């Protein structure tokens, strides 16, 4: 296979995958909406009965709490962390761009940081 044939085939295949993924995502919307409605219906039944869970011959429904945490004021949060040495409140990971810049400027990595590189072949539409 010649280079132009490989590139053409790659882009066509990538486009086909994107189309199929979009169609699949769209086809799941009514099912996901149905699940959301059934969940609300069951939460209503559980609330009415004052129960946290309900077992039937078909299975068990139970209430759980989903928690999401975000940072509204980064500076205030970091100040609190430093003042209270509450580093366990952080998830710490290296920032890729900052580490690459540091490596370029210093010819070495910050202590405790690893970098993994891999070669990939990318394709761009003409």
């Amino acid at each position: 296979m010649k280079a132009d044939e490989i590139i053409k085939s790659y882009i066509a295949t990538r486009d086909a995958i994107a189309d199929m993924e979009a169609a699949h995502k769209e086809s799941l919307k009514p099912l996901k909406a149905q699940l959301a409605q059934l969940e609300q219906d069951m939460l209503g039944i559980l609330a009415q009965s004052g129960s946290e869970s309900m077992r039937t011959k078909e299975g068990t429904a139970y209430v759980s709490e989903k928690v999401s945490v975000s940072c509204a004021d980064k500076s205030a949060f970091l100040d609190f962390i430093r003042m209270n040495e509450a580093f366990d409140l952080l998830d710490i990971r290296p920032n890729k761009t900052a580490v690459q810049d540091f490596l370029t400027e210093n010819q070495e990595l910050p202590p405790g940081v690893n970098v993994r590189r891999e070669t990939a072949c990318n394709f761009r539409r003409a």
Side-chain angles (χ1 to χ4, degrees), residues 12 25-27 33 35 39 46-47 51 54-55 61 66 69 77 83-84 89 93 101 104 107 109-110 117 122 126:
K25 184 177 180 180
E26 192 63 32
S27 72
L35 284 179
E39 184 178 335
L46 289 167
S51 300
M54 187 173 288
R55 182 181 300 166
K66 296 177 182 175
V69 179
F77 181 58
M83 288 172 45
N84 295 282
L89 296 177
R93 62 185 177 99
D101 291 346
T104 300
Q107 284 71 52
L109 290 169
R117 297 177 189 276
N122 301 294

Side-chain angles (χ1 to χ4, degrees), residues 23-67:
H24 184 249
K25 184 177 180 180
E26 192 63 32
S27 72
L28 290 175
K29 282 184 180 179
L31 294 172
K32 288 184 176 188
Q34 182 180 2
L35 284 179
Q37 184 59 55
L38 291 168
E39 184 178 335
Q40 290 305 309
D41 293 348
M42 194 67 215
L43 282 171
I45 291 170
L46 289 167
Q48 277 183 326
S49 70
S51 300
E52 293 272 324
S53 66
M54 187 173 288
R55 182 181 300 166
T56 74
K57 65 179 181 160
E58 299 297 330
T60 303
Y62 60 95
V63 177
S64 66
E65 181 180 54
K66 296 177 182 175
V67 178

Side-chain angles (χ1 to χ4, degrees), residues 4-120:
D4 61 338
E5 294 169 334
I6 291 172
I7 293 169
K8 180 180 179 180
S9 180
Y10 185 95
I11 291 171
T13 303
R14 183 179 63 195
D15 290 348
I17 289 170
D19 291 345
M20 291 174 76
E21 286 175 338
H24 184 249
K25 184 177 180 180
E26 192 63 32
S27 72
L28 290 175
K29 282 184 180 179
L31 294 172
K32 288 184 176 188
Q34 182 180 2
L35 284 179
Q37 184 59 55
L38 291 168
E39 184 178 335
Q40 290 305 309
D41 293 348
M42 194 67 215
L43 282 171
I45 291 170
L46 289 167
Q48 277 183 326
S49 70
S51 300
E52 293 272 324
S53 66
M54 187 173 288
R55 182 181 300 166
T56 74
K57 65 179 181 160
E58 299 297 330
T60 303
Y62 60 95
V63 177
S64 66
E65 181 180 54
K66 296 177 182 175
V67 178
S68 174
V69 179
S70 63
C71 191
D73 185 338
K74 183 178 169 183
S75 295
F77 181 58
L78 290 175
D79 288 346
F80 175 84
I81 296 295
R82 286 184 197 107
M83 288 172 45
N84 295 282
E85 295 187 10
F87 297 102
D88 57 320
L89 296 177
L90 293 172
D91 280 335
I92 299 176
R93 62 185 177 99
N95 178 286
K96 181 173 74 169
T97 304
V99 169
Q100 288 176 319
D101 291 346
F102 184 92
L103 181 58
T104 300
E105 292 171 17
N106 299 287
Q107 284 71 52
E108 65 181 2
L109 290 169
V113 173
N114 294 319
V115 171
R116 182 179 64 84
R117 297 177 189 276
E118 64 182 55
T119 300

